[in-house]
Amino acid sequence: MPRKYIYLIITYVAMQSSGLLVQPFMPLIENQDVFIVAWSVMTFAVALVICLIILRHEMKDFFQLREKKIGSIILWSFLGIILVMISQYTAIIIEQVVFGIKPGSKNTMDLMNVARQAPIFIVIISVLGPILEELVFRKAIFGSLYKRMNFFFAALLSGVIFAAVHMDFEHILTYTAIGMVFAFLYVETKRIIVPIIAHMAINTFAVIGQLSMDPEEIERQMEKMEQLMMILIGGQ
């Protein structure tokens, strides 16, 4: 793995672990919820800037449009959104039918609860997070693995790592499937901007969908989905 990609991963890990630096001072902070949100936004933004500096010599892959026209990028991004949705719902059905796992991600619910209390947190979910994750998990990790093994195993391994980082192991199949779709988009277009756009769009749709409903309505939708799953598998 190139040294710059190692630095990229170190930056991401440091950002995710940065809360440990301020943890001893939390009892001294009056409004801890506001501080945590502000700290998260700041560390994500700083990490992204650092990652872009590390990849400054590859920024043409980010912005240059000579090889791929804007229309092609938009088309592939739209196709990517559809593929992610298909893979996501397929994984949810498999989780329900094979493993008996109920739909609904605790990780997503926790993030949405924070977003309801502090809307600025949406910047992390819809913008900063997707860009960082695609640079780290697709460009650095998947890209390095793909040079040493075939697409399926490289996408699967990087997808599992992507899933594990989200700390929602009950739905690891769903996160892995989504990660593999993003890897496919990266390989097919040879441009990291495409999975970034698709990732941002999917997260934004999730935010809009979740925030437009109150918690009780979300619970009712989950129950309806579970009932639908039971019907599909022939349950009573």
Side-chain angles (χ1 to χ4, degrees), residues 1-18 43-44 46-48 50-55 131-145 148 157-158 161-162 165:
M1 179 181 292
R3 186 176 299 178
K4 59 186 174 183
Y5 289 166
I6 295 176
Y7 292 156
L8 212 67
I9 295 171
I10 291 175
T11 300
Y12 183 81
V13 172
M15 179 271 295
Q16 292 283 25
S17 307
S18 63
T43 53
F44 264 84
V46 170
L48 178 57
I50 293 174
C51 287
L52 293 178
I53 292 175
I54 293 172
L55 297 174
I131 297 175
L132 269 174
E133 289 179 353
E134 292 310 306
L135 292 178
V136 172
F137 295 104
R138 249 59 66 186
K139 192 168 187 64
I141 297 178
F142 166 76
S144 298
L145 292 172
R148 293 169 172 79
L157 183 55
S158 61
I161 297 172
F162 172 70
V165 168

Side-chain angles (χ1 to χ4, degrees), residues 17-27 29 35-36 39 42:
S17 307
S18 63
L20 298 175
L21 296 176
V22 297
Q23 190 172 4
F25 305 99
M26 291 303 293
I29 299 174
F35 176 81
I36 290 173
W39 179 264
M42 182 190 71

Side-chain angles (χ1 to χ4, degrees), residues 84-95:
V84 169
M85 289 181 175
I86 293 173
S87 66
Q88 183 176 12
Y89 286 114
T90 301
I92 289 173
I93 292 174
I94 294 174
E95 288 177 345

